[in-house]
Amino acid sequence: MTVRRQDRIARTATEGSGLHNVRDDTRGTGGSSFSLRNRIERSAFILTWALLAKWTPPPLHRWRCAILRAFGARIGRGVRIYGATIVWHPANLTIGDGALIGPRVRLYNQGHISIGSNAVVSQDAQICASSHDVSDPLFQLVLRPVRIEDRAWIAADAFVGPNVVVGEGAVLGARGAAFRNLEPWTIYSGNPAQPLKRRQFREGS
């Protein structure tokens, strides 16, 4: 890959995100990956979450959702999110109605993370929406959005990697790792995740 093409890819990935292109750092030191505004916003959120949300009792989901909305998150109705959840940047988060985000879930949303209605992300799961260009000598950070569609379930301690779409109703089993798209209404497990069988609901459910 040519240097010119590397520059074009890096610039496309950074537009409108506050992400710096490492090639613009004339000092050659790498510097911070994100703009000063981005860092101030995240610092303010971290402080607010620690003071007003992290320690709150589990039932106070509406209060925690209100704090996330105040920092730019798009949160639907009836969302349950716990104080021990870690959100990197609320402005890069969309959660649909009735979704559940469990304790100690890490939403590493340098890029955008979208979680659909009635989806479940169980305790200790990690969702990562960024990576690095390994073919770039300067190791440019790149943003890769993640989308978890309606009624999907990411089970305990599972990992969903950058640029992955978890299809509607799909299940990623405990400690599974998804690096490619998961088909709708399919149950997966393992690292890397492999399909096991179709997900079907019992009649009357």
Side-chain angles (χ1 to χ4, degrees):
M1 183 182 291
T2 65
V3 170
R4 183 174 297 177
R5 186 180 177 195
Q6 287 176 333
D7 282 342
R8 186 167 62 252
I9 291 172
R11 290 180 189 280
T12 300
T14 62
E15 288 178 359
S17 65
L19 177 65
H20 288 155
N21 185 339
V22 292
R23 297 183 186 284
D24 293 336
D25 182 5
T26 56
R27 299 167 299 172
T29 60
S32 174
S33 294
F34 287 89
S35 66
L36 177 61
R37 176 178 176 177
N38 180 286
R39 285 177 280 152
I40 291 173
E41 288 175 353
R42 289 188 287 112
S43 296
F45 169 69
I46 290 169
L47 179 60
T48 302
W49 192 260
L51 293 176
L52 301 179
K54 189 173 183 179
W55 56 270
T56 53
L60 295 184
H61 299 296
R62 292 178 65 181
W63 170 247
R64 291 185 290 270
C65 287
I67 293 173
L68 287 168
R69 290 188 189 102
F71 282 89
R74 291 161 292 281
I75 308 290
R77 293 173 297 179
V79 171
R80 290 173 289 166
I81 188 164
Y82 287 79
T85 299
I86 299 172
V87 178
W88 195 83
H89 191 25
N92 288 341
L93 180 62
T94 300
I95 304 178
D97 295 345
L100 169 63
I101 313 299
R104 299 177 304 280
V105 167
R106 180 180 292 270
L107 300 177
Y108 196 52
N109 55 340
Q110 294 180 318
H112 192 265
I113 291 176
S114 174
I115 299 171
S117 297
N118 300 306
V120 175
V121 183
S122 293
Q123 64 270 20
D124 299 301
Q126 298 191 49
I127 316 297
C128 179
S130 60
S131 186
H132 290 271
D133 182 357
V134 296
S135 63
D136 186 346
L138 297 179
F139 208 46
Q140 171 69 46
L141 180 69
V142 290
L143 307 182
R144 297 288 185 261
V146 173
R147 188 169 80 249
I148 298 171
E149 297 190 341
D150 296 352
R151 304 187 79 173
W153 176 25
I154 309 303
D157 211 24
F159 175 84
V160 178
N163 211 35
V164 168
V165 176
V166 178
E168 182 180 4
V171 175
L172 178 59
R175 295 200 169 185
F179 302 101
R180 296 183 179 180
N181 294 348
L182 304 187
E183 292 296 319
W185 302 104
T186 304
I187 299 173
Y188 291 80
S189 71
N191 182 2
Q194 300 295 325
L196 296 179
K197 61 181 181 180
R198 296 287 295 173
R199 182 186 184 189
Q200 296 180 327
F201 290 136
R202 290 187 297 273
E203 291 186 9
S205 298

